[in-house]
Amino acid sequence: LDNSGKGVAATQASSQLVYEAELAYRSATFRVTDNHSGFTGSGFVDYVGEGYVEWTVNVATTGTYDLVFRYALDSANRPLRILVDGTTLASTLDFPPTGSWENWGEVQVNATLTTGTHTIRAQTTGVSGANMDHLVLQAVP
């Protein structure tokens, strides 16, 4: 496992916290690359085979949050299992095709999070995942 980015602070854009995938804890077979345009940060994670990307996030206030995953996928849905602190939040969150590896899309799921540190994991479900750019954590008003 590559632990090179675990615990890296997020960047803040208005009321959103952005956690780059290339700085997250990830399975050893997943690689950070920059061979497709349009990503944020220094690159993105290319899901190669089975595994996961896991972010450590910090929540200032207990409440409901949108977990927004930014990704690119040429064709065919590649659902991921989303876990919060080891508990399944969504057993199969769809990541439908965006039409090309340079078209970035977003999918989201809501989670109730308490004040403090949490882990958010996007894990494969039998097929590799899409190219993952980042996770946005945003409080739901």
Side-chain angles (χ1 to χ4, degrees):
L1 295 176
D2 179 3
N3 191 11
S4 62
K6 189 171 184 185
V8 173
T11 58
Q12 184 148 3
S14 65
S15 64
Q16 301 177 339
L17 291 172
V18 180
Y19 294 88
E20 294 293 340
E22 68 272 18
L23 301 177
Y25 189 82
R26 60 193 176 275
S27 297
T29 60
F30 292 9
R31 64 179 183 244
V32 173
T33 188
D34 62 0
N35 62 332
H36 299 294
S37 64
F39 57 86
T40 62
S42 61
F44 57 88
V45 171
D46 184 357
Y47 275 68
V48 179
E50 292 297 304
Y52 61 88
V53 173
E54 183 175 276
W55 296 268
T56 300
V57 302
N58 295 304
V59 174
T61 306
T62 297
T64 302
Y65 289 82
D66 287 331
L67 308 179
V68 183
F69 299 91
R70 186 170 191 264
Y71 72 100
L73 181 59
D74 186 36
S75 61
N77 183 38
R78 293 187 188 172
L80 295 174
R81 180 177 174 209
I82 307 301
L83 299 98
V84 176
D85 299 327
T87 300
T88 299
L89 179 66
S91 58
T92 54
L93 182 63
D94 285 336
F95 283 74
T98 59
S100 83
W101 296 113
E102 286 81 24
N103 281 343
W104 297 89
E106 295 179 341
V107 297
Q108 75 178 44
V109 62
N110 290 338
T112 300
L113 301 173
T114 57
T115 301
T117 302
H118 299 276
T119 59
I120 310 295
R121 180 181 284 196
Q123 182 173 324
T124 58
T125 61
V127 179
S128 67
N131 288 345
M132 188 67 69
D133 187 27
H134 63 241
L135 166 67
V136 173
L137 184 67
Q138 182 173 352
V140 174

